[in-house]
Amino acid sequence: MPQIFNPPHTESEGCMVTKDGFEVPAFIMERRPDEVYVHYAGTDKRLDEWVLESAVRLADVKGSVSARPLRTNGASTTRKRKRSASPSIVEVDGAEAVSKEVKLSEEEYDIEHHKQITAKRNFDKVNFGKWQIKTWYFSPYPLIETEIDEVAPSSSVGASGSHGAPLSSSRIPGVSRSTIRSHGRTSDLLAGGLGRSHGTGEKSVLWVCDKCFKYMAEGLSWELHVRKCTRRHPPGRKVYQRGAHIIWEVDGAKEKLYCQNLSLFGKLFIDIKTLFFDCDNFLFYILTDADSQRDHVLGFFSKEKVSYDDYNLACIVVLPPYQKKGYGMLLIEFSYEISRRAGKPGTPERPLSDLGLRSYLTYWIATLVRYFRRLLSVLPADTSRLISQGSAQSRTPDTDLKKKSTKGWDGEVGDRSMNNAYILHDDDLLFSALRTIETTSNADGSATSHVVVQCTLSDIAQATGLRVEDAAFAMNECGMLERRRHIHSGTAEKRGRDRDTDLDDQEEYIVISREMVEAVAKTRNVKKMCMDLAHVLL
């Protein structure tokens, strides 16, 4: 049955924040002495922060805006997941918000309360090994005993602001108390952090062991634990090793505590993915960098053991200190390699965040470019000239290719310039069935060869291991679907019909040339694959 959801009265105020010498429009989400917590208009909430009250002035421009602007993905201004937007309206000049009842389904009701809880980060920073990292989002770390003692005296004020409510009333309205197993979603468990105020100083810092991901609220406890922690690498098996970089497969059913702590830590940097504490149905693939002492975690992705939608990835996280080094692309490529070996097209679980969509679009376009380069080439890959003498042939490698080292691959051994474009091979049935090489003679006795390919979008998706929808979206985004041509069918030509009048017999084709592919590769800065198939241990 649909439930009635009353959006809470919001006190968000429109304001202008002075930042780097410029005034930026924002919304005040919370106040504390001499500081305000602001959300910058039109940006992701990972950029929310505390600023000095002296740097904020209330906006005097009249108008109405949503209390929490929605994230934008490309040109879209709505969230990827279907959610009912809050009807609360806030006047920038300080007028009261308008609230009304909205009928929501059970899932939408759950999501609305989830959005309320996660509106603000519960920790400002996290100390992780040698790094102190600014958190991006809320993570439902449960209250520890000392925090429960601190919250208890102030439990007279409930989560909704009503006085006299017991501490248990801070749980999500409409959600009964349940066990972890019977409530896979984190609605009930999120309530564990509702009583935690966004403190200042040490209270806003979380301490996490970078070996086992055990979390602590005090630095002294963290130091004592780190000295005794003996874990040297994730508790799983190696599935990929290239130099010092290793991907470990960890079973969530066998290593429950480790995977739960890993999920809680990853939630600090993931917003729209629902966190599951019941990790039994998940596999975690953890990327590490080895030194002489142990393996350091760089990032990870999780994957359902059985996905009825054939998702090859549930969520992916690369820790902020290691971003923009190719590690995220390596994890994405490895997830598609798992799908390829299973004989299924791969795709990530929806919805995608703005950063996730950007990363996957980069992968999809790069995969398509590598596919079309091989498909539309007369000579084999990385070959500039082919010399035939009798029945013997010799290839001249392309020496003009720039050898550019990839950032972050320390300790690597072997040939780094090897071709990783595993998609097509000369003896591939799909490769030979699609290609037609047309050779025409020239006046000087030489000949010119051109590759002509007629295929469907389904053929392209099958060859690249992408879903048809993902391949079409990527081709449209990079401009490969703009050039179209109408061709008459053979039946109409045989009957001699007029081509200009017989529109029913015309078929529309998308034309993709090698020049278009190279233009996209240059514009999108397409690089070689980060993953080397020779080092996959599956």
Side-chain angles (χ1 to χ4, degrees):
M1 292 291 294
Q3 303 187 45
I4 303 298
F5 175 74
N6 294 307
H9 176 76
T10 175
E11 298 180 354
S12 302
E13 301 174 273
C15 65
M16 301 296 290
V17 179
T18 302
K19 188 174 183 180
D20 299 330
F22 298 92
E23 285 195 334
V24 182
F27 300 93
I28 299 176
M29 308 303 296
E30 187 178 346
R31 293 179 181 271
R32 67 188 185 193
D34 300 326
E35 288 184 318
V36 293
Y37 190 77
V38 297
H39 167 77
Y40 296 104
T43 65
D44 188 89
K45 65 181 182 182
R46 66 174 175 270
L47 303 178
D48 297 0
E49 61 181 348
W50 289 97
V51 297
L52 294 176
E53 191 172 12
S54 59
V56 177
R57 70 174 180 85
L58 295 180
D60 54 1
V61 180
K62 294 183 179 294
S64 60
V65 293
S66 61
R68 168 73 68 179
L70 299 180
R71 180 189 298 101
T72 58
N73 281 341
S76 174
T77 58
T78 58
R79 298 182 73 107
K80 299 291 288 184
R81 178 179 288 178
K82 294 181 180 179
R83 300 181 179 182
S84 299
S86 173
S88 302
I89 301 297
V90 178
E91 294 290 334
V92 177
D93 58 3
E96 291 186 356
V98 179
S99 179
K100 62 181 180 181
E101 292 185 349
V102 179
K103 290 186 177 181
L104 302 176
S105 65
E106 183 178 354
E107 181 180 1
E108 292 172 335
Y109 184 77
D110 188 12
I111 291 173
E112 286 297 332
H113 285 291
H114 179 275
K115 290 165 63 177
Q116 293 180 33
I117 296 169
T118 61
K120 295 184 294 294
R121 297 189 299 269
N122 49 342
F123 293 101
D124 282 338
K125 299 175 183 178
V126 55
N127 286 329
F128 182 73
K130 66 178 182 180
W131 304 101
Q132 185 177 77
I133 309 171
K134 181 180 178 181
T135 61
W136 290 5
Y137 304 109
F138 175 96
S139 182
Y141 279 98
L143 293 171
I144 61 177
E145 294 181 359
T146 56
E147 289 179 308
I148 294 176
D149 295 338
E150 293 176 0
V151 173
S154 59
S155 61
S156 58
V157 179
S160 61
S162 60
H163 294 269
L167 180 61
S168 60
S169 66
S170 64
R171 294 188 177 276
I172 300 174
V175 179
S176 60
R177 183 181 181 87
S178 58
T179 63
I180 297 177
R181 182 171 296 277
S182 63
H183 201 281
R185 298 176 64 88
T186 58
S187 301
D188 192 50
L189 290 172
L190 281 169
L194 285 178
R196 179 186 286 116
S197 61
H198 198 119
T200 59
E202 295 181 355
K203 292 185 178 181
S204 65
V205 178
L206 178 69
W207 301 78
V208 176
C209 175
D210 62 339
K211 303 175 185 177
C212 66
F213 289 92
K214 183 177 180 180
Y215 51 89
M216 285 143 279
E218 298 177 353
L220 180 59
S221 301
W222 176 82
E223 290 181 359
L224 294 175
H225 168 80
V226 169
R227 293 176 183 176
K228 298 180 180 179
C229 187
T230 59
R231 187 172 295 282
R232 294 293 177 261
H233 58 76
R237 68 184 184 103
K238 296 180 181 179
V239 292
Y240 180 86
Q241 183 171 7
R242 183 182 182 185
H245 295 87
I246 305 172
I247 296 180
W248 304 79
E249 182 185 73
V250 181
D251 192 336
K254 297 179 180 179
E255 303 292 342
K256 293 184 179 180
L257 182 59
Y258 182 89
C259 293
Q260 286 178 3
N261 290 340
L262 178 66
S263 300
L264 285 170
F265 183 76
K267 185 62 182 69
L268 292 170
F269 309 101
I270 304 177
D271 179 26
I272 59 179
K273 294 293 183 182
T274 303
L275 182 66
F276 286 82
F277 277 75
D278 188 1
C279 301
D280 290 1
N281 190 38
F282 285 85
L283 293 173
F284 293 81
Y285 294 88
I286 305 171
L287 175 63
T288 62
D289 183 17
D291 59 17
S292 59
Q293 301 296 324
R294 61 186 181 89
D295 294 276
H296 302 267
V297 175
L298 308 178
F300 73 94
F301 75 88
S302 61
K303 174 185 178 297
E304 286 185 283
K305 295 178 182 178
V306 179
S307 175
Y308 296 101
D309 296 313
D310 289 335
Y311 290 138
N312 61 2
L313 185 145
C315 66
I316 181 171
V317 178
V318 176
L319 304 186
Y322 307 109
Q323 292 179 357
K324 298 182 180 180
K325 295 184 178 180
Y327 299 131
M329 190 57 59
L330 172 62
L331 292 174
I332 292 175
E333 291 173 357
F334 188 80
S335 68
Y336 273 90
E337 175 63 14
I338 296 176
S339 297
R340 187 182 74 89
R341 299 196 175 208
K344 300 178 180 179
T347 192
E349 182 180 318
R350 269 55 170 184
L352 293 174
S353 65
D354 55 344
L355 295 179
L357 179 61
R358 189 186 311 169
S359 299
Y360 269 94
L361 183 59
T362 300
Y363 170 78
W364 293 335
I365 292 177
T367 301
L368 291 169
V369 166
R370 288 192 287 265
Y371 168 72
F372 287 127
R373 275 178 170 173
R374 183 66 192 96
L375 189 66
L376 300 176
S377 297
V378 176
L379 297 178
D382 296 338
T383 302
S384 60
R385 185 171 56 175
L386 183 64
I387 302 175
S388 299
Q389 186 174 3
S391 60
Q393 291 184 346
S394 62
R395 299 181 181 182
T396 302
D398 192 348
T399 57
D400 294 334
L401 294 177
K402 296 181 180 179
K403 294 184 178 180
K404 195 173 183 180
S405 60
T406 307
K407 295 184 293 183
W409 307 108
D410 295 333
E412 179 179 311
V413 294
D415 185 10
R416 298 169 66 168
S417 62
M418 69 174 295
N419 182 24
N420 286 316
Y422 61 85
I423 297 172
L424 285 178
H425 302 282
D426 293 345
D427 56 350
D428 193 312
L429 294 178
L430 184 61
F431 177 82
S432 58
L434 297 179
R435 286 164 44 100
T436 301
I437 300 180
E438 297 180 355
T439 303
T440 57
S441 60
N442 300 325
D444 59 355
S446 62
T448 303
S449 298
H450 295 278
V451 177
V452 180
V453 180
Q454 289 190 3
C455 63
T456 64
L457 185 60
S458 178
D459 294 331
I460 297 174
Q462 180 182 353
T464 56
L466 306 178
R467 278 199 177 177
V468 174
E469 299 83 357
D470 297 339
F473 173 74
M475 293 173 66
N476 183 63
E477 287 294 312
C478 65
M480 288 187 180
L481 302 182
E482 296 178 355
R483 188 177 176 184
R484 301 169 184 262
R485 178 181 297 176
H486 291 82
I487 302 177
H488 281 262
S489 63
T491 304
E493 293 179 357
K494 289 181 180 179
R495 288 187 296 215
R497 295 181 181 178
D498 188 4
R499 295 188 177 185
D500 296 330
T501 58
D502 193 5
L503 299 178
D504 294 337
D505 291 317
Q506 289 185 349
E507 296 181 355
E508 187 179 52
Y509 287 83
I510 304 297
V511 180
I512 299 177
S513 65
R514 181 61 185 266
E515 291 77 13
M516 293 175 58
V517 174
E518 295 303 327
V520 171
K522 182 178 180 181
T523 303
R524 298 283 179 166
N525 192 23
V526 174
K527 302 176 182 178
K528 285 191 174 184
M529 293 178 61
C530 295
M531 183 182 65
D532 191 334
L533 288 175
H535 299 283
V536 177
L537 305 178
L538 290 173

